[in-house]
Amino acid sequence: MPRTVPIQDLRNIGIVAHIDAGKTTTTERILYYTGKTYKIGEVHEGAATMDWMPQEKERGITITAATTACYWAGKQINIIDTPGHVDFSVEVVRSMRVLDGIIFIFSAVEGVQPQSEANWRWADKFNVARIAFINKLDRLGADFYRVYDEIVKKLTIKPVAIQIPIGTEDNFVGVVDLMNMNAIVWLEETLGAKYEIRDIPEEYKAKAQEWREKMVESIAETDDALMEKYLEGQELTIDELKQALRKATINKQLVPVLCGSSFKNKGVQPLLDAVVDYLPSPLDVPPVVGINPKTGQEETRLPEDDQPFCAYIFKVVSDPYAGQLSYFRVFSGKVQAGSYVLNSTKDKKERIGRLLLMHANTREDISEVAAGEIAAAVGVDAATGDTICDEKSPIILEKLEFPEPVISMAIEPKTKKDQEKLSQVLNKFMKEDPTFKASMDPETGQTLIHGMGELHLEIMVDRMKREYNIEVNVGKPQVAYKEAIKGKAVAEGKFIRQTGGRGQYGHVVIEVEPLERGSGFVFENAIVGGVIPKEFIPPVEEGIKEAMENGVLAGYPVVDVKVKLFDGSYHEVDSSEIAFKIAGSMAFKEAAKKAGVVLLEPIMEVEVETPDDYVGDVIGDLNSRRGKIMGMENKGIITSIKAHVPLSEMFGYATNLRSLTQGRGTFIMKFSHYSEAPQSITEKVVGERTHT
């Protein structure tokens, strides 16, 4: 199937926001007005097209990034609707790698919320152009101007309002278009499909004039020729302003700000116009750069069909019917269904069985996909972050870094026959989600799953049951503690065995010292004069690493340590690699005990948003959880409280917060750092570990 539109008419955009700011609702409206769906699906009714997983329908939240394509003003818009919940932020990060532009949605009541700030920083890192949409203007406490000021203060790119609202809360009826200086008013009875262009109401004329001046000035500042014209007092044409604003948006100098209420069907069509007018096509963004695995040199791929094929796999999904679906963005060249490609990350040849154009979880077979387009392939054995390319022109694009899991729980299948099936499913899940890990506890033989939060693991267990019919028993969530040493110490490890014939001999002397948090492990070989032969040094390091992995105090990994190997001895005949490995392990355990070992617990950065009436109760509750209040901020009728709280105290917090705030409080939690646990907690954890 050849292209439906030329590459300059393509827009690859993501919809990104904090949980509950209205991303999926906005996407549903976009699909309705572009004729992609015939009925508006509501999130709260569990009927949203893009929230197709049963878990999403029940919880009314987005869990997985869904892709779809629609058409507006002759342009093809590929949309990725991403989750707002912090447990699933991996979906946002990997989507940004393949997007050219983003619609950032902010709630007119809550303003710039923590997950939006985090996602904004990711957009900075990936250098993605964006427009902002201040949503929920029909809600009690909505204030467009307060949220606009928050964007100015908290985010990195200067906003420029191209609309202001007419009315607010219950009286919100439409917007003033500052480019054309007219009013757009939506007609209630047509589900927002029809609107009227009117003169600006008398009481809004002065405000509209003031904000238009600000807009013109901000745009003129980004273009020398326009600035000159503006300073000379000449009128700038709408076309000149639009062209300059498009350029400034693509160059990340400005962010156009629009407003509306997606739920009340107001403001979505001008938002689509802004996507077409201001967000970049694949030709407007810098070409992708990667490394040629054969030469190690950097190479560039231009977004053109006649360039060698190069695509990035940003998401992998196990589909019960089609097998593994690999979602990819083509950065250069084109590929046909049935052709062979090279997975350059794994250096493996793959055949693309089928090519699919995705619309949430429904799909359409296509024969070819070309530069700039997003599609899914069936039959490719790949993982998130892999590059697929032309065999003759190999290239590897930069892999993404994902955060480490902070929470784990033990699971076991209810029946013996599900044991093998479970390990296959866990492998599929790990391929799909780089922040999900499964492992075996060597001591207890239990299967452990690790993830980013309680909800993350809950969803995974739910999916095992629904998608694969595996019933599992689940243990209580466990905290990923770590261990660290307190001071410097020297110790020796001697492993000597004499059993008829050849014996074993390994002898090392090491010094350990603590490093700053987050420094990891440093091994220094300070052996001089060959007291230990070179070939026995790596086994010593291996033995130390193994001892660190198994812990000294309570079996948790030891982190942030420097180990210096400076002395020892060997035996001409009896010394072996295994003997030195064991000696290294013994020496480390001994040195760590001498240096003193402490337990480190993960501390979470928690941000709670609550109506003002409940602030005292929420703070009291956080204090009782060993929380440290880091700051507070008032946002109209809502207060945002920032705190650092140990993860072990945060289990079940969602339910607690709901009852404290009559269901009106929300919170977001992400890993901050590891910190030394108090003595009472250490004793409790060590006690539990030694009794299991």
Side-chain angles (χ1 to χ4, degrees), residues 565-587:
L565 169 65
F566 66 90
D567 202 1
S569 62
Y570 75 104
H571 189 282
E572 285 288 352
V573 179
D574 291 350
S575 280
S576 66
E577 289 191 0
I578 190 77
F580 272 98
K581 186 177 171 183
I582 295 169
S585 178
M586 289 163 69

Side-chain angles (χ1 to χ4, degrees), residues 417-429:
K417 69 175 196 329
D418 277 345
Q419 186 67 53
E420 201 172 305
K421 201 168 159 195
L422 178 67
S423 66
Q424 288 170 355
V425 169
L426 291 175
N427 281 330
K428 275 184 183 170
F429 284 175

Side-chain angles (χ1 to χ4, degrees), residues 42-105:
E42 297 297 3
V43 175
H44 59 276
E45 291 168 3
T49 309
M50 301 299 272
D51 284 351
W52 55 271
M53 287 171 73
Q55 295 87 344
E56 294 178 311
K57 289 180 188 299
E58 283 164 16
R59 290 173 171 81
I61 62 166
T62 303
I63 291 167
T64 175
T67 64
T68 190
C70 58
Y71 297 87
W72 185 257
K75 308 278 192 279
Q76 180 181 332
I77 303 175
N78 294 327
I79 301 173
I80 300 181
D81 173 30
T82 63
H85 196 289
V86 66
D87 283 12
F88 306 103
S89 52
V90 59
E91 293 280 348
V92 183
V93 175
R94 59 183 173 188
S95 300
M96 280 194 193
R97 180 70 180 79
V98 298
L99 295 171
D100 300 325
I102 293 174
I103 299 174
F104 260 89
I105 297 182

Side-chain angles (χ1 to χ4, degrees), residues 481 599 601 626 648-649 677-687:
Y481 291 104
L599 189 72
E601 60 179 349
R626 299 194 283 126
S648 59
E649 303 288 343
Q679 191 57 37
S680 58
I681 300 293
T682 304
E683 283 166 10
K684 187 176 161 219
V685 172
V686 172

Side-chain angles (χ1 to χ4, degrees), residues 594-626:
K594 280 188 187 171
V597 184
V598 292
L599 189 72
L600 301 178
E601 60 179 349
I603 303 295
M604 307 306 279
E605 191 179 299
V606 179
E607 189 152 342
V608 184
E609 294 192 331
T610 170
D612 296 347
D613 312 356
Y614 310 108
V615 169
D617 293 345
V618 170
I619 289 177
D621 182 60
L622 288 170
N623 286 334
S624 73
R625 295 168 184 270
R626 299 194 283 126

Side-chain angles (χ1 to χ4, degrees), residues 176-183 198 200 205 208-209 212:
V176 172
D177 176 347
L178 299 174
M179 278 284 181
N180 298 304
M181 282 307 269
N182 54 27
R198 300 178 184 168
I200 298 171
K205 280 188 173 159
Q209 202 49 56
R212 187 173 204 273

Side-chain angles (χ1 to χ4, degrees), residues 105 152 174 191 202 297 308 325 373 375 460 500 505 548 676 684:
I105 297 182
V152 173
L191 279 179
E202 203 56 50
Q297 299 297 309
L325 291 180
E373 297 183 329
M460 289 308 201
Y505 185 97
M548 284 173 65
E676 191 177 325
K684 187 176 161 219

Side-chain angles (χ1 to χ4, degrees), residues 60-181:
I61 62 166
T62 303
I63 291 167
T64 175
T67 64
T68 190
C70 58
Y71 297 87
W72 185 257
K75 308 278 192 279
Q76 180 181 332
I77 303 175
N78 294 327
I79 301 173
I80 300 181
D81 173 30
T82 63
H85 196 289
V86 66
D87 283 12
F88 306 103
S89 52
V90 59
E91 293 280 348
V92 183
V93 175
R94 59 183 173 188
S95 300
M96 280 194 193
R97 180 70 180 79
V98 298
L99 295 171
D100 300 325
I102 293 174
I103 299 174
F104 260 89
I105 297 182
F106 300 100
S107 160
V109 183
E110 286 88 1
V112 178
Q113 292 169 284
Q115 193 59 27
S116 299
E117 285 187 71
N119 289 334
W120 193 274
R121 286 195 293 274
W122 280 109
D124 284 342
K125 186 176 183 293
F126 289 112
N127 213 9
V128 190
R130 52 214 101 145
I131 57 180
F133 181 66
I134 296 176
N135 189 23
K136 300 196 173 186
L137 277 166
D138 60 306
R139 294 273 295 276
L140 187 68
D143 186 341
F144 171 84
Y145 302 101
R146 176 175 53 79
V147 178
Y148 182 87
D149 287 343
E150 273 189 46
I151 295 174
V152 173
K153 283 193 204 105
K154 291 186 173 179
L155 304 177
T156 51
I157 304 175
K158 186 178 172 185
V160 55
I162 57 174
Q163 293 177 348
I164 57 170
I166 300 172
T168 187
E169 297 180 354
D170 284 349
N171 303 319
F172 173 65
V173 291
V175 298
V176 172
D177 176 347
L178 299 174
M179 278 284 181
N180 298 304
M181 282 307 269

